Amino acid sequence: MKTLLELIQHRRSCRSFLPRAIETDKTAQLAKALLWSPSSKNNRPWDFIFVDDVETIRLLSTCKPHGASFMSGAPLAVVIVGDMEKSDVWVEDCAIAAILLQMTVESIGLGSTWVQVRLRAHDEQLTASDYIKKILNIPANLEVASIIAIGYKAKERAAYSDAELLNERIHHNRFSQD
Ligand SMILES: Cc1cc2nc3c(=O)[nH]c(=O)nc-3n(C[C@H](O)[C@H](O)[C@H](O)COP(=O)(O)O)c2cc1C
């Protein structure tokens, strides 16, 4: 079994998936990872919509003009929704849930990619979030933060290596010694 550091090294965005459904015991583990995610003051200002309906996933894949179309080939899309009335740091809380979901995905032999929704436009009239809210019946006071597209990887990508580490981004005691 891989250590957490090894899982972090091996997690790469996966945008091409096998046409294979994800077993219910695996989706149950993914739900636990989301619901055990830490949040500021334990406010848990999030909801998660597990979408495995092919046509709905296809609609979600058109939520924005770039960076979402690959999702039409994913057997599962987890839509992460935040409630800004429950927390002023709902963005952080949703992001933490998203990455813990991605790491759990990696740990159980699946692949995923984050699709950014917050601050993205569907077209000149509509935000990507409002477009998704219509499709999924999400209440008006909530915002869609992101979607995590998940499935069995169609191909393995190389893990990160030590050669790619931006070691200069780690600072000791002060940003600069000058
Ligand atoms: C906040 C955030 C938003 C992202 N949005 C998208 C996206 O909309 N579409 C996409 O294909 N990938 C998206 N990604 C994936 C990044 O492109 C990817 O993580 C990055 O290029 C590093 O590659 P890796 O995930 O293989 O390490 C996003 C990642 C993060 C963390």
Side-chain angles (χ1 to χ4, degrees):
M1 200 153 86
K2 288 193 178 80
T3 64
L4 180 55
L5 185 59
E6 287 166 339
L7 286 171
I8 291 169
Q9 182 181 8
H10 282 81
R11 184 220 52 81
R12 300 302 311 270
S13 292
C14 172
R15 298 182 179 85
S16 148
F17 303 97
L18 297 178
R20 175 177 167 188
I22 299 170
E23 297 80 354
T24 50
D25 65 305
K26 291 198 168 177
T27 53
Q29 291 182 64
L30 300 180
K32 282 185 174 180
L34 289 164
L35 298 172
W36 281 333
S37 295
S39 63
S40 172
K41 301 178 189 167
N42 210 14
N43 272 333
R44 292 176 281 200
W46 25 240
D47 283 274
F48 310 104
I49 304 163
F50 281 59
V51 181
D52 60 6
D53 176 71
V54 174
E55 176 56 14
T56 310
I57 292 176
R58 195 194 62 73
L59 288 171
L60 293 177
S61 77
T62 64
C63 68
K64 60 178 187 174
H66 306 287
S69 60
F70 77 89
M71 194 163 44
S72 62
L76 177 66
V78 177
V79 180
I80 300 182
V81 174
D83 185 342
M84 62 185 74
E85 286 157 19
K86 283 192 182 150
S87 175
D88 58 346
V89 290
W90 65 276
V91 174
E92 288 85 343
D93 293 337
C94 286
I96 288 166
I99 192 62
L100 290 182
L101 173 63
Q102 287 198 280
M103 294 315 304
T104 307
V105 160
E106 181 69 26
S107 76
I108 59 176
L110 303 169
S112 71
T113 288
W114 179 313
V115 174
Q116 181 66 22
V117 175
R118 193 180 73 88
L119 302 179
R120 297 290 177 260
H122 171 67
D123 58 23
E124 281 175 12
Q125 278 80 46
L126 209 55
T127 66
S129 177
D130 284 343
Y131 172 80
I132 294 165
K133 282 160 70 174
K134 270 194 195 169
I135 296 168
L136 301 181
N137 242 358
I138 297 169
N141 60 311
L142 305 182
E143 276 300 313
V144 181
S146 61
I147 305 175
I148 307 299
I150 300 169
Y152 282 92
K153 300 171 195 174
K155 51 180 185 275
E156 280 293 332
R157 292 183 60 194
Y160 282 110
S161 69
D162 281 8
E164 291 153 294
L165 290 170
L166 300 180
N167 285 315
E168 69 278 14
R169 298 290 175 83
I170 304 292
H171 308 266
H172 296 282
N173 293 321
R174 294 192 239 174
F175 190 91
S176 141
Q177 304 301 323
D178 311 331

